[in-house]
């Protein structure tokens, strides 16, 4: 009985002073997530980098501005040669080509407006040059800004991509 009392007092103390475990946080008004289709490639290879933007609000997402830049570690390897060579937008109705491949023209690719609760995925093709160095990682980070039909806005970032390891052939 004494242990139960001590446990209750400790739990009350933690709850009062904000140290109790919090319930899971609600997602932000808009969420950006990255995935890749491969963790490794070789010089001359490609990796698809997918960016999924989700509208978590009850209003349409009207406008998106997004940047993408190499991480600091990636910039320290000038022998790693790469470029974004393709762009595809995937929606509930199918896939279409898009034109923005970065560093600051990605937002228009999402085909706004994005209805409440829906997502759009933009996939960039990351092409590794045949004469690229190897045994290094390529990674990117992104910031975004979004406006909604209720005249609110949100921003997020940095959001990091999974790194792609360039292996020697």
């Amino acid at each position: 009985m004494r242990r139960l009392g001590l446990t209750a007092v400790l739990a009350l103390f933690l709850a009062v002073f904000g140290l109790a475990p919090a319930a899971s946080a609600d997602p932000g008004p808009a969420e950006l997530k990255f995935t890749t289709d491969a963790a490794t490639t070789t010089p001359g290879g490609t990796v698809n980098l997918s960016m999924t933007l989700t509208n978590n609000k009850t209003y349409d997402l009207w406008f998106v501005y997004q940047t993408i830049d190499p991480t600091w570690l990636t910039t320290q390897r000038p022998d790693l040669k790469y470029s974004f060579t393709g762009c595809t937008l995937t929606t509930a109705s199918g896939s279409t080509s898009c034109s923005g491949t970065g560093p600051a023209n990605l937002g228009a690719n999402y085909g706004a407006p994005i209805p409440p609760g829906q997502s759009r995925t933009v996939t960039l093709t990351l092409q590794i040059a045949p004469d690229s160095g190897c045994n290094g990682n390529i990674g990117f980070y992104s910031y975004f800004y979004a406006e909604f039909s209720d005249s609110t806005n949100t921003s997020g970032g940095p959001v990091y991509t999974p790194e792609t390891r360039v292996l020697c052939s």
Side-chain angles (χ1 to χ4, degrees):
M1 185 67 168
R2 186 173 190 167
R3 282 188 186 184
L4 180 60
L6 182 58
T7 303
V9 169
L10 180 60
L12 179 62
F13 174 80
L14 292 174
V16 168
F17 291 101
L19 302 174
S24 64
D26 289 333
E31 241 179 329
L32 179 65
K33 293 184 180 179
F34 285 98
T35 58
T36 56
D37 68 348
T40 62
T41 190
T42 55
T46 60
V47 174
N48 289 317
L49 172 64
S50 295
M51 310 173 290
T52 300
L53 183 68
T54 303
N55 179 2
N56 293 320
K57 286 194 69 143
T58 55
Y59 295 92
D60 286 346
L61 190 155
W62 273 357
F63 172 80
V64 180
Y65 176 80
Q66 182 186 348
T67 63
I68 190 164
D69 291 293
T71 61
W72 182 82
L73 286 175
T74 299
T75 65
Q76 300 310 298
R77 290 287 308 268
D79 62 318
L80 293 175
K81 299 175 186 174
Y82 57 89
S83 62
F84 289 117
T85 59
C87 179
T88 305
L89 167 65
T90 304
T91 66
S93 58
S95 296
T96 59
S97 294
C98 48
S99 59
T101 56
N105 62 348
L106 299 174
N109 291 336
Y110 289 102
I114 302 173
Q118 290 192 17
S119 297
R120 301 278 170 83
T121 299
V122 172
T123 301
L124 299 177
T125 303
L126 176 64
Q127 175 71 53
I128 310 302
D131 63 340
S132 175
C134 54
N135 290 327
N137 294 337
I138 297 175
F140 300 90
Y141 67 96
S142 184
Y143 287 92
F144 72 94
Y145 169 84
E147 292 181 357
F148 299 89
S149 61
D150 65 347
S151 299
T152 61
N153 62 66
T154 189
S155 58
V159 180
Y160 291 91
T161 67
E163 288 188 334
T164 299
R165 180 94 175 146
V166 180
L167 302 173
C168 295
S169 342

